[in-house]
Amino acid sequence: GQQVMQIPQYQHVQEGEDFTTYCNSSTTLSNIQWYKQRPGGHPVFLIQLVKSGEVKKQKRLTFQFGEAKKNSSLHITATQTTDVGTYFCAPRGSGGSNYKLTFGKGTLLTVNP
Amino acid sequence: SQTIHQWPATLVQPVGSPLSLECTVEGTSNPNLYWYRQAAGRGLQLLFYSVGIGQISSEVPQNLSASRPQDRQFILSSKKLLLSDSSFYLCAWSPNPRGELFFGEGSRLTVL
């Protein structure tokens, strides 16, 4: 599986503030997926990024894939209490098939109402 | 539509006892299947994955094993549980080798 560093490990914000989590790899990635896990729940797929420099939006969430396909970010605009949870990136390496999907350590987001 | 079922949801087992967690997927064929483990407040650790019946790849063997007796059935087992096996176990499936994962509700195991 592909190894990445995900930062920050924790982030506490006031409701309405923005939030960003980053995933950084030392090698080029084939694609990267993002998941959200609510407290006590299971991870839920959010999005997959494949193309260099790709930007995708889901309402207040903006996902980016770096030009070199080595890093990615998830940005949430004007956080709400419903955004609370742990956000994981899950990269796939380049070159051939890779059935294994390993996850970053995640960023735990807490939102103060 | 496809669904994934995982059970039991919670269990408490004594040290040295066996373990069997079961996962089934409905509404699809030949799914890629995965077992992950998540310690409290931690990330997801891949334990096993399978691309077909009888095909199991192990990432963290330890005292756990996995089997896929049927196309849409994935079982996580142990002959003798350790205290360190206490964790949250998640089964997941994917429609293709590079697709997104769909997770079950998880099984919370406590070993005493």
Side-chain angles (χ1 to χ4, degrees):
Chain A
Q2 190 67 34
Q3 299 299 318
V4 288
M5 177 172 292
Q6 189 172 354
I7 54 173
Q9 190 174 0
Y10 306 97
Q11 184 76 61
H12 178 75
V13 299
Q14 289 291 126
E15 190 172 20
E17 292 181 339
D18 292 355
F19 159 77
T20 305
T21 175
Y22 301 89
C23 255
N24 299 307
S25 170
S26 58
T27 59
T28 303
L29 303 174
S30 172
N31 61 59
I32 192 164
Q33 298 175 1
W34 285 91
Y35 293 77
K36 176 185 179 181
Q37 184 177 23
R38 294 181 185 275
H42 59 277
V44 174
F45 173 77
L46 294 175
I47 211 154
Q48 175 167 286
L49 304 172
V50 179
K51 300 177 182 178
S52 169
E54 188 169 18
V55 178
K56 287 188 176 180
K57 292 189 175 183
Q58 291 179 350
K59 298 183 180 179
R60 295 178 294 103
L61 276 61
T62 302
F63 304 84
Q64 292 189 341
F65 203 10
E67 293 290 341
K69 300 183 71 172
K70 289 185 176 181
N71 53 68
S72 181
S73 65
L74 158 58
H75 179 81
I76 302 178
T77 303
T79 55
Q80 300 175 359
T81 55
T82 53
D83 295 324
V84 165
T86 302
Y87 293 85
F88 293 98
C89 63
R92 288 195 196 272
S94 59
S97 63
N98 187 351
Y99 299 110
K100 300 183 293 185
L101 188 62
T102 54
F103 285 72
K105 293 188 182 297
T107 297
L108 173 60
L109 171 65
T110 55
V111 180
N112 197 29
Chain B
S1 63
Q2 301 88 2
T3 57
I4 179 169
H5 301 282
Q6 182 180 344
W7 70 94
T10 60
L11 68 164
V12 180
Q13 295 285 99
V15 170
S17 65
L19 171 73
S20 181
L21 301 178
E22 190 163 342
C23 174
T24 60
V25 181
E26 297 178 356
T28 187
S29 60
N30 197 31
N32 293 281
L33 297 171
Y34 304 79
W35 278 111
Y36 286 86
R37 176 169 63 192
Q38 185 177 35
R42 304 291 295 277
L44 294 158
Q45 180 187 32
L46 178 62
L47 299 176
F48 301 94
Y49 66 96
S50 171
V51 301
I53 295 176
Q55 300 178 60
I56 310 291
S57 295
S58 173
E59 293 295 297
V60 186
Q62 296 185 359
N63 68 322
L64 298 173
S65 63
S67 62
R68 185 170 178 171
Q70 300 180 42
D71 180 44
R72 293 170 291 170
Q73 184 184 28
F74 207 22
I75 298 173
L76 181 68
S77 304
S78 174
K79 292 182 178 179
K80 287 186 177 183
L81 284 169
L82 306 172
L83 286 174
S84 57
D85 291 323
S86 294
S87 194
F88 188 47
Y89 291 86
L90 289 154
C91 180
W93 76 275
S94 177
N96 59 72
R98 304 183 73 79
E100 69 265 36
L101 298 188
F102 300 93
F103 284 85
E105 298 289 328
S107 299
R108 194 165 301 280
L109 169 66
T110 302
V111 182
L112 300 176

